[in-house]
Amino acid sequence: MINADLHIHSMMSPDSREDIDSICLKAMELGLKTIAISDHYEFYWPDRHHDVFNPKHVEEEQKIIEKARIRYNGELNILFAIEIGQPHFDYHNSLKLISSFDFDFILASFHKVGGSDLMSHDYMDVEDRKKTLSAYLDGLLVMASLFDFDSLAHLDLIKRYSLKAGHIERIEDEEERVRRILRVLAMRGKALEINTSLLRDYDEPMPGEKVLSWFREEGGCMITVGSDAHKADHIAYGFDRIEEMLCRCGFDGYYIYEGRKKKFIGFEREDLCLN
């Protein structure tokens, strides 16, 4: 059983209303040993900002997590994490942010192409779909190559939003470009996240099995698992399907991070995994 969910959003994210106690109680009910509160911190391009995304807000969140650690000491390992969106849009301030706090775990994500959110693009227009996918892969490569992070979140997020428009953009169609991103992750010793949020609406996580296999072939060995939950009821969603998928792709466990140091968690079902 995968017992660590490293991608959970709380009410300190602008897109969640879930308080820390509801999250912790649900995680313990599910038998999780470790969770990471990985709230959003977005960088914008060109000159857009959001009041929530400032260091003082992160400081408040850190205090909330520290208090929760005291309340649930010995029952649940609560990691202070962050999901940084588009850090390469403001490289200097993104590095300043991560050096200002003692994060346990840092997720890097890419939500915005050309200054607008992926969900706002026109996936009905063939030309726009091609341009969006190309720009998305370009941004992922830059981010994966330059930024200081631990795991790359929801690699094929574009699949989620194009799916809603009925025209699925699959990064598998750009194999060499995707492999290049995965190669960079492997060479830099970075992890790749399996994000299970799409399993609520579709039959595969982000990324799917083919991309996971490519990551292994390119020398990648570190996987983190996250539900990307914005509600307590979505914590660890679909985790029961991930262990076998990882094993089929040549992985015999997953990783958690504490104090930005990685820790391997092996699967107990040794007969299931490829050796």
Side-chain angles (χ1 to χ4, degrees):
M1 173 185 172
I2 296 172
N3 60 20
D5 189 340
L6 298 195
H7 195 163
I8 299 173
H9 295 287
S10 77
M11 62 190 300
M12 296 300 284
S13 271
D15 54 356
S16 174
R17 297 182 179 179
E18 208 66 78
D19 64 82
I20 189 73
D21 288 306
S22 297
I23 290 169
C24 292
L25 291 172
K26 185 63 177 182
M28 290 188 292
E29 177 188 325
L30 294 170
L32 296 182
K33 303 298 183 184
T34 298
I35 61 170
I37 306 300
S38 311
D39 285 331
H40 289 288
Y41 195 110
E42 297 284 305
F43 286 95
Y44 290 86
W45 179 88
D47 293 320
R48 285 187 58 211
H49 299 281
H50 194 297
D51 291 341
V52 171
F53 304 128
N54 63 74
K56 286 188 177 181
H57 192 74
V58 179
E59 189 175 328
E60 290 176 18
E61 179 177 2
Q62 185 176 25
K63 291 176 181 177
I64 290 172
I65 291 174
E66 288 172 351
K67 290 178 180 178
R69 284 172 169 168
I70 295 172
R71 287 197 297 277
Y72 300 101
N73 183 36
E75 299 180 86
L76 184 66
N77 185 23
I78 307 169
L79 303 180
F80 174 42
I82 192 168
E83 179 185 356
I84 302 184
Q86 307 76 235
H88 56 297
F89 284 3
D90 193 341
Y91 189 72
H92 172 74
N93 281 319
S94 61
L95 290 182
K96 184 178 179 180
L97 173 69
I98 65 173
S99 66
S100 299
F101 296 92
D102 293 324
F103 292 113
D104 287 301
F105 176 57
I106 296 176
L107 281 164
S109 61
F110 190 31
H111 300 116
K112 295 170 176 60
V113 168
S116 61
D117 201 278
L118 278 171
M119 73 173 67
S120 68
H121 285 261
D122 182 9
Y123 297 102
M124 301 297 288
D125 182 274
V126 175
E127 195 60 34
D128 187 76
R129 284 159 52 192
K130 290 180 180 179
K131 289 180 180 179
T132 301
L133 177 59
S134 182
Y136 179 64
L137 293 174
D138 286 344
L140 283 171
L141 180 60
V142 172
M143 189 174 69
S145 301
L146 298 177
F147 187 58
D148 179 17
F149 63 95
D150 300 311
S151 185
L152 183 66
H154 44 56
L155 175 65
D156 54 352
L157 179 66
I158 194 170
K159 180 168 60 181
R160 173 193 289 167
Y161 298 118
S162 61
L163 175 65
K164 291 180 179 180
H167 297 275
I168 302 176
E169 291 301 307
R170 302 187 64 86
I171 62 173
E172 291 91 335
D173 295 338
E174 297 285 347
E175 180 175 351
E176 184 47 47
R177 296 180 69 182
V178 174
R179 280 185 177 271
R180 187 178 179 188
I181 296 167
L182 299 173
R183 200 175 304 133
V184 166
L185 292 177
M187 291 175 61
R188 296 189 67 206
K190 304 300 182 184
L192 177 67
E193 179 196 56
I194 295 184
N195 186 300
T196 64
S197 62
L198 194 63
L199 287 172
R200 299 196 299 268
D201 305 302
Y202 195 55
D203 62 354
E204 65 180 17
M206 298 179 287
E209 192 164 330
K210 181 177 286 188
V211 175
L212 287 174
S213 295
W214 291 348
F215 184 50
R216 196 72 188 93
E217 290 169 5
E218 296 296 340
C221 60
M222 290 182 290
I223 294 289
T224 64
V225 185
S227 65
D228 204 351
H230 292 70
K231 299 178 180 179
D233 287 343
H234 293 163
I235 293 172
Y237 188 91
F239 277 25
D240 57 324
R241 297 175 56 180
I242 299 303
E243 184 173 326
E244 292 191 20
M245 179 182 293
L246 282 172
C247 288
R248 286 196 299 270
C249 295
F251 299 94
D252 57 2
Y254 58 98
Y255 283 80
I256 64 172
Y257 286 75
E258 295 188 50
R260 304 217 47 208
K261 295 184 182 299
K262 61 181 182 291
K263 178 182 179 182
F264 177 71
I265 310 294
F267 294 135
E268 295 180 359
R269 299 173 58 189
E270 296 179 1
D271 60 310
L272 180 69
C273 297
L274 302 175
N275 296 312

